[in-house]
């Protein structure tokens, strides 16, 4: 079934399932290898979240570079990639954002086939509710901008919203629903599967994914990186890509430069499972809440970020209450649900709420961070653009606007409204 016992698993298919069924599923191979690090790699990527793994994948697929290690201090996908609420959309305002987020959405549409791994992409439709006049103006502006960007979104009336989603109360006394920004191609995917699918493909290409290996130091000389010092020893590299989300400032400090990033926890929670009642992804940004229903039937719910900077990867009681209280006027049925569990992830916020894909003051170090509360949807597009940047040493068209120099030059890409999550 596979060329090597530790690299790749052969093609997943109906025939493979049938064959394994015949031999009681004893023939499946591990989806990715777990090697010890080599002394040196051409490219070392720190962070085996979605963005790090996707960068590695497109380095191999688009640029033919496979001498790559992806180093992860915990387990792959165990950071924000495995902690998010999986919303995928591309209804951003600025042209540079629409380009990278829509590229990402297009890659998501075929990703299961491309990776030969079911990422459970579910383009069920995404609706952002307008509950103040200010939001009506803002979202209509986004619809017009999206038309110019060839991103299909539309303005929908409260009556159509009620038709689409019977559980909604559009006549709330404080925040009635005045309309919404709808993207039919938006939806969700299984977050772990995105990480696992990319990891399997990277491993099959011969790349090393090294888990439980923390980068503790970055060795530089003459403005170039030489090696990283890790809990599994020193690893040399020709180029280093730092893709560590909420830990980006910590890594940058090791290499001797600063990033305009603040780290803060974003929390989410799920309810007990119930019958299907919500086949859209809904964001209610005025009240700071959003929800969708998982395949298991749980209502997946999130709110705004914590109100203070922190590195906490856990939930807090008051957040459950605040978030559900905010949503109950518009979704009264939530008041009758038991909440099952909650968690948090450390998100990496920039001042303009747009990401950084950039060269750095150290010649051969590249950084990808600042996706903040919204980077799950960007994983394929970001990986594609970052691979181009790392392979060529200069950004391609998708990454060009997202360099660090924009903060020095005042060319902000303001997406604080489109981010859709209160910070
Ligand atoms: P991560 O997945 O965090 O990966 C970074 C990795 O780097 C981690 O695994 C970490 O362990 C590793 N690392 C850090 N330091 C070191 C070190 N020194 N050495 C080695 N490894 C290191 N986005 C959306 O688009 N839609 C959503 O619905 C959505 N909901 C969210 C809900 C929550 C509760 C949270 C927390 C985030 C949400 N996001 C959402 C944001 C999204 O999850 C992130 O933007 C995205 O997952 C970031 O991916 P990443 O690969 O950059 O980071
Ligand atoms: O970016 O769409 C988003 C999002 C929704 C919830 C958290 N982030």
């Amino acid at each position: 079934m596979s060329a090597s016992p530790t690299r790749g698993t052969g093609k997943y298919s109906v025939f493979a399932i049938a064959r394994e069924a015949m031999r009681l599923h004893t023939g499946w191979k591990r989806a990715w290898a777990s090697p010890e690090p080599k002394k040196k790699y051409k490219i070392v990527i720190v962070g085996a979240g979605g963005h790090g793994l996707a960068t590695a994948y497109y380095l191999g697929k688009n640029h033919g570079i496979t001498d790559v290690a992806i180093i992860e201090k915990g387990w792959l996908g165990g950071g924000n990639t495995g902690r998010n609420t999986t919303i995928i959309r591309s209804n951003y305002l600025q042209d540079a954002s629409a380009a990278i987020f829509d590229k990402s959405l297009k890659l998501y549409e075929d990703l299961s086939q491309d990776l030969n791994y079911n990422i459970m992409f579910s383009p069920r439709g995404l609706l952002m509710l307008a509950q103040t006049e200010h939001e009506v103006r803002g979202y209509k502006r986004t619809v017009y901008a999206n038309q110019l960007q060839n991103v299909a979104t539309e303005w929908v009336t409260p009556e159509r919203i009620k038709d689409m989603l019977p559980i909604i109360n559009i006549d709330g006394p404080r925040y009635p629903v005045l309309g919404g920004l709808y993207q039919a191609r938006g939806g969700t995917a299984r977050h772990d599967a995105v990480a696992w699918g990319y990891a399997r493909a990277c491993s099959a290409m011969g790349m090393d994914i090294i888990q439980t290996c923390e980068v503790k130091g970055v060795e530089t000389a003459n403005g170039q990186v030489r090696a990283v010092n890790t809990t599994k020893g020193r690893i040399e590299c020709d180029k280093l890509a730092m893709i560590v989300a909420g830990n980006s400032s910590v890594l940058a400090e090791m290499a001797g430069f600063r990033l305009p990033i603040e780290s803060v926890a974003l929390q989410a929670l799920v309810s007990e499972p119930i019958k299907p009642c919500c086949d859209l992804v809904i964001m209610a940004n005025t009240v700071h809440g959003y929800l969708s229903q998982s395949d298991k039937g749980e209502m997946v719910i999130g709110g705004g970020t914590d109100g203070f900077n922190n590195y906490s990867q856990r939930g807090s009681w008051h957040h459950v209450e605040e978030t559900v209280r905010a949503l109950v006027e518009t979704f009264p049925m939530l008041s009758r649900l038991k909440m099952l569990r909650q968690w948090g992830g450390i998100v990496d916020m920039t001042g303009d709420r747009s990401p950084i894909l950039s060269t750095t003051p150290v010649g051969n170090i590249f950084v990808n961070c600042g996706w903040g509360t919204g980077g799950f949807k960007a994983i394929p597009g970001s990986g594609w653009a970052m691979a181009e940047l790392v392979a060529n040493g200069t950004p391609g068209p998708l990454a060009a606007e997202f360099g660090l120099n924009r903060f020095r030059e005042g060319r902000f890409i303001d997406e604080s409204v489109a981010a859709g999550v209160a910070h």
Side-chain angles (χ1 to χ4, degrees):
M1 175 175 170
S2 93
S4 133
T6 53
R7 295 283 177 189
T9 49
K11 193 167 159 47
Y12 289 160
S13 68
V14 66
F15 304 108
I17 293 171
R19 187 182 55 235
E20 287 308 319
M22 307 272 280
R23 55 185 186 193
L24 302 177
H25 295 282
T26 52
W28 295 113
K29 301 286 192 304
R30 287 188 182 277
W32 52 83
S34 295
E36 287 304 306
K38 292 190 287 202
K39 184 171 178 291
K40 178 169 187 238
Y41 294 88
K42 188 168 177 159
I43 296 174
V44 164
I45 294 173
V46 190
H51 290 260
L53 291 163
T55 299
Y57 175 69
Y58 295 112
L59 273 169
K61 182 176 170 174
N62 295 353
H63 304 276
I65 303 172
T66 55
D67 184 15
V68 176
I70 308 118
I71 299 181
E72 168 56 49
K73 73 173 173 182
W75 65 96
L76 72 86
N80 292 342
T81 297
R83 293 163 189 270
N84 70 80
T85 43
T86 76
I87 296 178
I88 297 174
R89 59 188 173 87
S90 62
N91 56 350
Y92 281 70
L93 181 64
Q94 311 291 349
D95 292 348
S97 322
I100 195 162
F101 283 105
D102 208 55
K103 169 77 181 173
S104 202
L105 178 47
K106 286 183 179 134
L107 289 169
Y108 260 125
E109 284 163 351
D110 296 329
L111 197 58
S112 293
Q113 289 75 17
D114 186 30
L115 297 177
N116 178 230
Y117 199 93
N118 185 3
I119 63 150
M120 299 169 74
F121 179 58
S122 165
R124 63 186 74 169
L126 173 287
L127 180 63
M128 287 172 136
L129 299 178
Q131 293 181 283
T132 63
E133 290 298 338
H134 179 74
E135 261 182 333
V136 171
R137 280 196 296 274
Y139 288 155
K140 285 189 173 170
R141 182 182 174 206
T142 304
V143 172
Y144 300 139
N146 289 164
Q147 278 167 5
L148 296 173
Q149 296 152 347
N150 272 331
V151 174
T153 59
E154 61 184 298
W155 173 255
V156 287
T157 61
E159 294 70 33
R160 173 135 177 244
I161 291 173
K162 184 70 186 167
D163 263 4
M164 292 162 105
L165 190 67
I167 60 168
I168 200 169
N169 171 23
I170 57 171
D171 299 317
R174 282 201 314 159
Y175 295 115
V177 173
L178 305 174
L181 166 61
Y182 179 59
Q183 184 171 29
R185 288 164 61 222
T188 61
R190 170 85 195 270
H191 48 13
D192 307 301
V194 172
W196 297 338
Y198 276 122
R200 174 173 172 267
C202 290
S203 186
M205 283 192 275
M207 299 178 182
D208 285 353
I209 303 168
I210 303 160
Q211 301 183 73
T212 59
C213 178
E214 182 169 359
V215 171
K216 294 289 213 179
V218 177
E219 221 177 278
T220 59
N222 305 322
Q224 300 286 314
V225 67
R226 295 277 181 261
V228 286
N229 292 307
T230 78
T231 48
K232 292 191 177 177
R234 182 173 180 275
I235 305 173
E236 293 171 24
C237 58
D238 294 337
K239 292 182 182 180
L240 180 66
M242 297 176 168
I243 314 185
V244 293
N247 286 285
S248 297
S249 312
V250 180
L251 255 289
E253 201 178 327
M254 290 180 198
F257 60 90
R258 294 185 67 198
L259 289 174
I261 290 282
E262 295 194 342
S263 294
V264 58
L266 179 66
Q267 303 185 30
L269 56 140
V270 291
S271 75
E272 60 188 327
I274 53 173
K275 284 184 184 169
C277 66
C278 175
D279 59 1
L280 282 177
V281 179
I282 318 288
M283 301 181 71
N285 301 332
T286 286
V287 298
H288 303 164
Y290 60 90
L291 73 156
S292 63
Q293 190 168 20
S294 75
D295 294 339
K296 279 189 283 184
E298 300 159 332
M299 301 306 288
V300 181
I301 301 169
T305 55
D306 282 6
F308 50 95
N309 292 354
N310 66 79
Y311 285 92
S312 164
Q313 284 186 296
R314 54 196 297 191
S316 52
W317 284 114
H318 73 276
H319 197 86
V320 176
E321 204 230 324
E322 273 171 21
T323 305
V324 176
R325 188 177 56 204
L327 286 166
V328 157
E329 175 181 315
T330 314
F331 300 96
M333 47 82 75
L334 291 181
S335 69
R336 297 188 295 279
L337 292 184
K338 294 187 187 69
M339 297 303 151
L340 276 197
R341 58 179 194 281
Q342 58 175 145
W343 64 91
I346 312 161
V347 295
D348 41 338
M349 310 299 309
T350 57
D352 60 0
R353 305 310 188 226
S354 285
I356 296 168
L357 291 94
S358 190
T359 54
T360 70
V362 181
N364 49 353
I365 296 185
F366 303 87
V367 68
N368 177 332
C369 62
W371 293 99
T373 61
F376 175 70
K377 67 177 82 63
I379 285 172
S382 156
W384 184 286
M386 189 65 187
E388 203 171 9
L389 169 60
V390 177
N392 301 333
T394 50
L398 284 176
E401 301 290 319
F402 294 103
L404 273 170
N405 51 4
R406 78 175 187 272
F407 297 97
R408 205 170 301 117
E409 294 162 7
R411 286 183 298 100
F412 303 121
I413 306 168
D414 185 354
E415 290 292 5
S416 40
V417 172
V421 173
H423 343 80

